[in-house]
Amino acid sequence: MKKLPLYLMMMVLSLSIIPSTISAAEKNPTAIAADTKEVPAEVKIMLNRLDEIKAMDKSSMNFSEKKALRKEVRAINANLRASHNGIYISVGAVIIILLLILIL
């Protein structure tokens, strides 16, 4: 009899953790509209060059050639990252903002 409350408590916890599929309603999938932004020509050129480098057979290259390719890939990636004009917020900043909103 002493184990009965323990078993009941475990059952209640396990049922609360498992998501309920009864309340889930089926929805028809909606088509996501394709992003119609034009990719600038410079970005296309850089992406094509990255694809060429990925397709290369690097096994026959020596160390200095591989090093030059790595530097080129890093430079292209840095240029691609710099070309995006987005605002990036860290997770910690988002948590602090939400806490400030809730407090005030």
Side-chain angles (χ1 to χ4, degrees):
M1 275 317 239
K2 291 182 181 181
K3 292 185 180 181
L4 183 62
L6 177 67
Y7 290 137
L8 286 174
M9 187 169 52
M10 288 176 51
M11 184 176 67
V12 168
L13 286 175
S14 66
L15 289 176
S16 65
I17 293 173
I18 298 173
S20 174
T21 57
I22 295 172
S23 63
E26 289 200 25
K27 295 180 181 178
N28 294 332
T30 58
I32 299 173
D35 199 8
T36 58
K37 289 185 180 179
E38 283 285 327
V39 178
E42 302 89 29
V43 174
K44 284 183 182 179
I45 292 170
M46 287 188 262
L47 290 174
N48 289 338
R49 180 62 183 149
L50 283 176
D51 289 337
E52 289 174 5
I53 292 173
K54 286 180 186 177
M56 283 184 185
D57 182 25
K58 298 175 196 85
S59 62
S60 61
M61 293 182 179
N62 60 16
F63 179 74
S64 62
E65 292 172 342
K66 289 180 184 179
K67 187 175 180 180
L69 278 179
R70 279 195 301 270
K71 284 184 180 181
E72 184 179 354
V73 168
R74 288 181 189 143
I76 291 173
N77 284 333
N79 287 337
L80 287 175
R81 272 189 235 114
S83 67
H84 298 300
N85 295 328
I87 297 174
Y88 300 101
I89 300 176
S90 68
V91 176
V94 170
I95 291 172
I96 291 172
I97 291 169
L98 289 175
L99 286 174
L100 287 174
I101 290 173
L102 289 174
I103 291 173
L104 300 176

